[in-house]
Amino acid sequence: NKADAITYNNVISAGAGTAIVKYDLLTGGQLAIKIYTSNGTLVKTLIDTICPAGKGTLEWNGKNLSGQNIASGIYYVKIKGPGINKIDKIAVVN
């Protein structure tokens, strides 16, 4: 057993589709899941808080911090928590 996170629905339409991030923490601790552009600009923070051990699910609808639909492109989901340091990709098509 190990901590892990998986991103589902990696191709979405901004404002119409939903990407899903499922995580499993073996121990509690700080969990941050954030969406970035290819040049490293923060698009959206899905979570950045202390979480208990266990499973969780988060959704992202292709909107930025201001609630606006983002442009088409490849975005990076950075997942950092107890036992997890991972980057997944999500493609947004409009």
Side-chain angles (χ1 to χ4, degrees):
N1 290 340
K2 68 174 194 164
D4 198 11
I6 299 172
T7 305
Y8 295 94
N9 299 342
N10 291 42
V11 179
I12 65 170
S13 176
T18 303
I20 298 169
V21 180
K22 292 187 176 189
Y23 62 88
D24 188 1
L25 302 178
L26 296 181
T27 61
Q30 187 74 26
L31 176 65
I33 301 176
K34 300 180 180 186
I35 312 292
Y36 292 91
T37 63
S38 59
N39 66 4
T41 302
L42 178 65
V43 173
K44 180 88 173 186
T45 299
L46 300 183
I47 192 170
D48 191 359
T49 191
I50 295 173
C51 293
K55 296 180 181 187
T57 301
L58 298 167
E59 296 182 354
W60 180 52
N61 60 0
K63 294 184 184 263
N64 63 18
L65 293 167
S66 302
Q68 299 171 328
N69 291 339
I70 59 170
S72 294
I74 301 295
Y75 293 84
Y76 296 88
V77 183
K78 185 173 182 183
I79 305 159
K80 188 166 186 176
I84 305 172
N85 191 3
K86 183 176 185 179
I87 296 175
D88 283 339
K89 294 180 188 177
I90 295 175
V92 175
V93 293
N94 294 323

